[in-house]
Amino acid sequence: MDEQSVQESVPGRIMVMAKKKKPAIHEPDAKQRIIEAASYLFGMKGYDGTSTREIAARAGVNIAALNYYFRSKNNLLLEVMEFVINSFRERVKNIARDEQLNTAEFAVRIYDTISEDGSKLLNQFKLVMDMEHFPDDKLEPEPIGFEQIGFYLNKELNSSVPGDERLWACQVIFGFINHIALLSVCEMGQKFIKRYSLTTPRQSIQKLVNALICDLNVRFA
């Protein structure tokens, strides 16, 4: 309830007054809780299927706090998307600081990063797929991690390998990482991997990367 009744005694009668609950804006983590709650619910139910009251309830705040921080549901979506993108970008940058990794090792690290919280990954993936409410000028020029894959790949490829072939290899590696990460965090995907795969997801990524590098270096020796 946003309001609660309190009784005040006065001579000859009892006066019932409505006392409004103050927004929880004094809580230092209230805004972050709202963003994380919205990220989960938008992923589970979609943007249109999620109400601000549901978000506030999951975050443990009232509607006034949500309105104070974000003004509108669309503004909240924008901050949720920026939070998802920025948090993943920072994790990728931290991995890429180790320039001694080879391409396969870096690819496996990315897989570990995006699959470390399975339910969160699935929710965020569904959220990213529902991009109609997200302005084009906020989108990344290329997928996060794509440039870093290219950096490691270029160190292992012959200088004679054409640019379009390098780009193709980046696309294959990036797509496979995300594909196998999504498979490995959902129940049906886990059953599929267990039944039909002879290798673990990490081993599959390593084999793919090494096969691509070998193929390109042989073809463009």
Side-chain angles (χ1 to χ4, degrees), residues 54-135:
E54 289 176 302
I55 296 169
R58 184 174 181 84
V61 301
N62 55 29
I63 291 293
L66 194 147
N67 292 333
Y68 173 83
Y69 285 117
F70 303 101
R71 304 300 180 192
S72 71
K73 184 180 173 183
N74 192 64
N75 286 341
L76 173 57
L77 175 66
L78 298 183
E79 293 221 26
V80 166
M81 291 303 304
E82 289 188 6
F83 166 72
V84 170
I85 291 170
N86 289 337
S87 61
F88 184 58
R89 183 193 295 115
E90 287 305 311
R91 283 180 286 174
V92 170
K93 284 183 177 179
N94 287 335
I95 298 171
R97 289 192 176 98
D98 187 352
E99 297 185 2
Q100 301 305 311
L101 297 173
N102 60 36
T103 311
E105 291 169 337
F106 177 75
V108 168
R109 294 271 190 97
I110 294 298
Y111 163 79
D112 289 339
T113 297
I114 62 179
S115 61
E116 62 187 10
D117 185 338
S119 61
K120 188 174 183 180
L121 170 68
L122 288 173
N123 285 338
Q124 292 181 351
F125 181 78
K126 289 187 288 184
L127 178 59
V128 170
M129 291 300 98
D130 184 20
M131 296 294 283
E132 62 178 296
H133 301 282
F134 200 64

Side-chain angles (χ1 to χ4, degrees), residues 26-40:
H26 61 283
E27 300 178 30
D29 63 341
K31 182 176 182 181
Q32 186 61 30
R33 293 207 314 272
I34 294 170
I35 290 174
E36 292 179 358
S39 175
Y40 174 82

